[in-house]
Each structure stands twice: as structure tokens, then as C-alpha cells.
Amino acid sequence: MNLKIVRAFLVVGLTGCGASELPMDVPDAELGSNESNVIVGSVNWTAATSLSSTSTERARSKAVGYLSIPAVGSRCTAWLVADDKVITNNHCIGSSADAVGAKVSFNYEDGVASTSRIWYDCSTFVRTWTAEDMTVIQCKALNGYLPGQVYGKLTVASGNATNNSAMYIVHQNCDYNATPSCVPTKKYSPGTVLNTNVTSNELSYNADTLGGSSGSPVLGGAGTTYAHQVIGLHHVGVGSNYSTSASNRGVEASAIKARLSSIGL
């Protein structure tokens, strides 16, 4: 199999703030783009709502949300790093123009009706870094509360993960390859760190993702050195869907932490 590096970006329909939603656009892979990322082997993600309500994984999942990007007609995943700031990928939002109208829903989950989804205005562009494929945007308060005060926030690990350690990803997606009309609700993808030195600032892992998972947090699994802390920023896949030789990649914690430090986070 010829491997290729492909970005984890999906062009889908925008989600409205009211009672109705626009139809989903076709995935970018169907539009002839080479951009996507991969299911490793068979799909083994589960709905975040299926996690035990008392588990740390479920608690951390609440800080992850569906990022709607109307300026470029797309969606990605984002996560809270401060009460009013979320992180996503540079290839999702790469400029202040891309951030116009951006909004995030942290309860875009199974069992939540479209009319009950809560949307935060996260259209204030803070900073982007091309080399780390990372962008920070700022969210406004809703009903007097910032999103991090409601859903919590994630902590970036002080060091990088180790090979063969457990990890998981929380992201907004569904298997649209099998069911094109599926709804990209919040998912939990477990896996293992494969290589912490796949490039100078990337780690690889076998947790499942697809286009639309871009910008999601990679977290250390229970019992690891950095359990339930962010060890990576997911952004890219290598290989073809449903292949056991495929993998996904994220920017390592050390690179994320250095960039956040430069803006006082």
C-alpha cells in the first residue's frame, strides 16, 4: 500500500443556532480532495454519552465541542484550554477571516435534540501557528457564563507521552463512509501511542478518526504518566481507511505547551 499523509479536514454543512439545521455537505474525500484521515482496522469508537457518568473520561469529554466554521463552510473539533479559549487546527481556522461567525457546541451529543444544542460565539481570533497546525480562538460568555465555567477545561501535559502507552481521542464525528447521513456527535476513540518521534513534533497512534476530527485532543489513558491530560493535538492521518497499517498523528504536548506559553496560557 502506498502511504500518503492526509489532513483530517471535512467539509460539512453548517449547524444553525436555532431549531433547524442545514443539510450536511458531502465529505471532502467525495469532492475529490486527498484530505481525510483514517479508521485503523475496524471502527471501534463509541458515543461519549456511553461512558460512565462518573468516569474521568466522561468528565474530560465535556470540554470538547463541535466547531462550526461558516466562513469556510466547514466543521472541525475544538477543546477548551481556558474558560474562554479553545484550540483547533490551523488548517481549520488559519486567519481572523476564517474565524468570522465561528461557534462551538459542547453538548452536540447523542440524545440531545438540535433545538437543545447550546452554541457559544467563538469568533475572536487569537493566534495561529502553521508549523504546529494549531489555532486558538476566544469564546464569549453565554447567559453570564464562559464555556469553561460550565464544561471544564483540559490540561496540556508537561511532557510527552511514551511509546505503547494507552491514549484516547474525544472528537465530533460519525462513520459517514458507512452512513452518509449520520450525525457527527461526540465520540470516544481508545487506542495506543505507536511512535512519539514520528517527526520532530508529532506522535502517532491507532485511535480511529475521520475528516472532521481535526483539532481534537489526544489524551493519556488511565494509569499512564499523563493520564487524562492532553498529550497531542490531532491533525493528520497516514494510510487508507480500514487498514491495520494506517495510523493517525497529533502535535506533541511539548510543542502545544510552548506555543500556549507564548500567549500567556
Side-chain angles (χ1 to χ4, degrees):
M1 179 182 66
N2 292 325
L3 295 183
K4 59 184 178 180
I5 296 180
V6 286
R7 286 203 185 278
F9 186 64
L10 171 66
V11 178
V12 299
L14 305 182
T15 303
C17 293
S20 62
E21 297 181 14
L22 299 177
M24 290 177 63
D25 293 332
V26 296
D28 58 345
E30 294 182 18
L31 292 170
S33 169
N34 286 330
E35 297 177 346
S36 68
N37 58 11
V38 298
I39 300 295
V40 183
S42 58
V43 180
N44 69 342
W45 64 41
T46 57
T49 53
S50 70
L51 297 167
S52 168
S53 61
T54 60
S55 68
T56 304
E57 288 87 349
R58 178 57 177 149
R60 297 295 183 268
S61 77
K62 294 182 179 181
V64 180
Y66 179 119
L67 170 61
S68 175
I69 318 168
V72 293
S74 66
R75 73 168 173 90
C76 283
T77 301
W79 48 279
L80 285 155
V81 69
D83 284 342
D84 65 342
K85 292 179 179 66
V86 296
I87 292 178
T88 191
N89 285 150
N90 166 271
H91 77 258
C92 296
I93 293 178
S95 67
S96 57
D98 293 345
V100 173
K103 53 187 178 288
V104 180
S105 174
F106 298 95
N107 73 333
Y108 201 113
E109 300 182 330
D110 286 3
V112 178
S114 60
T115 52
S116 299
R117 291 174 189 146
I118 299 167
W119 292 93
Y120 288 82
D121 177 346
C122 298
S123 60
T124 301
F125 182 79
V126 178
R127 187 78 62 86
T128 195
W129 299 270
T130 303
E132 291 78 17
D133 196 11
M134 171 175 158
T135 294
V136 175
I137 53 177
Q138 186 169 341
C139 305
K140 296 179 180 177
L142 183 65
N143 298 324
Y145 293 94
L146 293 166
Q149 295 173 309
V150 179
Y151 298 101
K153 47 192 177 288
L154 300 181
T155 299
V156 180
S158 58
N160 293 328
T162 56
N163 291 344
N164 302 313
S165 58
M167 47 73 62
Y168 61 96
I169 298 175
V170 180
H171 55 119
Q172 297 285 156
N173 231 318
C174 60
D175 188 2
Y176 50 77
N177 291 321
T179 309
S181 61
C182 64
V183 178
T185 53
K186 192 176 296 183
K187 298 296 190 296
Y188 164 83
S189 289
T192 302
V193 173
L194 302 176
N195 186 350
T196 59
N197 194 34
V198 66
T199 70
S200 62
N201 69 355
E202 287 181 308
L203 73 161
S204 64
Y205 35 85
N206 59 9
D208 294 334
T209 64
L210 279 177
S213 303
S214 291
S216 53
V218 182
L219 297 109
T224 64
T225 301
Y226 300 112
H228 311 298
Q229 297 179 46
V230 176
I231 57 171
L233 171 62
H234 173 69
H235 75 137
V236 75
V238 179
S240 301
N241 284 334
Y242 310 117
S243 169
T244 55
S245 62
S247 65
N248 288 297
R249 296 182 182 182
V251 177
E252 289 191 301
S254 57
I256 301 168
K257 204 165 185 68
R259 293 309 189 188
L260 290 177
S261 178
S262 72
I263 58 171
L265 291 176

